[in-house]
Amino acid sequence: MGKKTKSSAKRPKDMRNHCRVPDYGKGFKLKDADPGEKTAFPDRANAEAEMAADIARIEELHDVHWAQGRHAFLAVFQAMDAGGKDGTIGKVFGSLDPLGVITTSFKKPSERELAQDYLWRIHQEVPPRGMIGLFNRSHYEDVLVVRVHALAPPDKIEQRYEQINAFEKHMTENGVTILKFFLHISKDEQKERLQERINDPTKRWKFNPADLNERKLWKQYMTAYELAVTRCSTPWAPWYVIPADRNWYRNALVARIVRTTLEEMDLRYPPAPKGIEKIVVE
Ligand code: AMP
Ligand code: MG
């Protein structure tokens, strides 16, 4: 895998608290989270330069993560339609060695999946040690779209928040570091982006008329998101609500949070076999 040099750049500012939902959502209201704010990186050019450095560091850490093979890392992405999940995954993780990354998009469950508990299909896609896993949608759909459309009985949905916390705790205790990102766009920004999917012939393939029905349920989705990010932001698997109306800002924040988290993971190359330095290849 990739480069082996250790970055000499000094550690940048920890921006996790900028958009971390407090544990169990204490005092957090989604309506107070402004999708258009940019106070963490007020200047675009600076944000892009810092992001390039953060990504270079993520690439190095990814190499160590893979070589060490002891930990797994999982980043979960949720958003409304056109919220930028695909774009964020591409921009922040697109330069990593594909050997060490598994990306999973969760769609409407199949009949087979619906015949199991909702975490069954999720558990199978949790990255193994040494890998970075990226979830494009996730088990949170089971308290988001499922809640908004009443696809399961209300009492069953109510039980899921605690079940999710327990599942994520179990994963964490078994070597998986979990981060969760809600890419938060405004309703106006979604309008622009959906219209753009219609206007731009190269984007029409992304347009799904069903998204317009979901858009009408914006309020209900925001209520469901607020419940999910408050009930399920835990010390072991925090939620970050990322202001996502500006792509460059969203990407810079996610890259910084990923970098900071990887830097805290005690990643080290495995010890070399004794006496290796004396070996000469002939
Ligand atoms: P997309 O990400 O645009 O390809 O769309 C995937 C669709 O699958 C979205 O409309 C999701 O809401 C839906 N989906 C994902 N997971 C579930 C789930 N557990 N139950 C119902 N719908 C889901
Ligand atoms: Mg879609």
Side-chain angles (χ1 to χ4, degrees):
M1 309 254 300
K3 296 175 287 298
K4 301 288 184 290
T5 48
K6 184 124 177 67
S7 170
S8 54
K10 74 170 178 17
R11 232 174 228 225
K13 216 167 130 209
D14 184 349
M15 285 178 182
R16 285 176 297 183
N17 284 335
H18 189 73
C19 49
R20 188 192 191 289
V21 179
D23 291 340
Y24 307 102
K26 202 165 183 297
F28 180 87
K29 287 269 171 276
L30 194 52
K31 69 169 171 43
D32 298 334
D34 175 5
E37 74 87 22
K38 55 174 178 130
T39 52
F41 293 102
D43 174 67
R44 178 171 181 170
N46 177 58
E48 287 174 347
E50 293 208 26
M51 183 174 85
D54 287 342
I55 289 177
R57 184 71 180 127
I58 292 170
E59 288 169 8
E60 292 175 353
L61 292 165
H62 184 222
D63 190 63
V64 184
H65 185 261
W66 166 265
Q68 187 177 20
R70 280 192 49 195
H71 313 276
F73 178 94
L74 172 62
V76 169
F77 292 92
Q78 285 289 159
M80 294 296 283
D81 294 308
K85 300 186 301 299
D86 301 12
T88 309
I89 288 172
K91 292 286 186 223
V92 177
F93 299 93
S95 67
L96 298 187
D97 189 328
L99 283 177
V101 182
I102 310 179
T103 308
T104 310
S105 296
F106 290 97
K107 307 282 182 186
K108 254 176 105 161
S110 66
E111 246 182 71
R112 176 73 182 89
E113 288 167 344
L114 283 173
Q116 305 281 157
D117 79 276
Y118 67 101
L119 292 173
W120 179 76
R121 67 173 183 162
I122 308 295
H123 199 157
Q124 297 178 71
E125 304 301 335
V126 171
R129 293 177 210 287
M131 294 290 232
I132 285 187
L134 306 173
F135 279 3
N136 186 350
R137 303 189 189 270
S138 65
H139 43 306
Y140 282 94
E141 291 293 333
D142 294 284
V143 291
L144 293 168
V145 64
V146 171
R147 186 179 186 104
V148 170
H149 288 281
L151 302 177
D155 59 322
K156 291 288 161 201
I157 298 172
E158 274 310 296
Q159 291 170 349
R160 290 181 175 177
Y161 303 93
E162 268 188 44
Q163 290 167 354
I164 288 172
N165 288 344
F167 170 71
E168 291 176 351
K169 187 152 199 275
H170 172 83
M171 288 298 140
T172 307
E173 288 173 352
N174 285 279
V176 188
T177 295
I178 304 174
L179 297 184
K180 300 173 304 202
F181 296 104
F182 170 38
L183 309 178
H184 184 30
I185 56 167
S186 60
K187 198 175 176 194
D188 286 346
E189 180 63 23
Q190 191 198 45
K191 177 177 156 69
E192 301 275 316
R193 293 184 187 191
L194 291 178
Q195 189 64 53
E196 182 62 16
R197 288 182 176 184
I198 295 165
N199 297 350
D200 180 345
T202 68
K203 291 189 179 167
R204 285 186 185 152
W205 63 274
K206 286 196 218 178
F207 182 71
N208 177 358
D211 293 352
L212 301 179
N213 299 330
E214 301 311 297
R215 177 170 166 77
K216 291 195 189 121
L217 298 166
W218 188 272
K219 258 199 167 159
Q220 289 88 325
Y221 270 105
M222 289 308 113
T223 303
Y225 266 107
E226 180 166 288
L227 286 174
V229 303
T230 54
R231 293 180 176 181
C232 298
S233 194
T234 54
W236 54 91
W239 265 109
Y240 293 94
V241 173
I242 304 289
D245 275 0
R246 291 179 182 81
N247 295 352
W248 58 267
Y249 184 73
R250 168 201 81 198
N251 296 339
L253 257 183
V254 170
R256 174 61 50 83
I257 293 165
V258 168
R259 171 186 178 161
T260 311
T261 305
L262 285 169
E263 278 180 331
E264 283 184 355
M265 274 175 68
D266 187 32
L267 301 174
R268 272 173 285 172
Y269 284 109
K274 265 205 170 123
I276 190 169
E277 65 283 356
K278 293 192 196 103
I279 300 174
V280 179
V281 180
E282 296 183 4

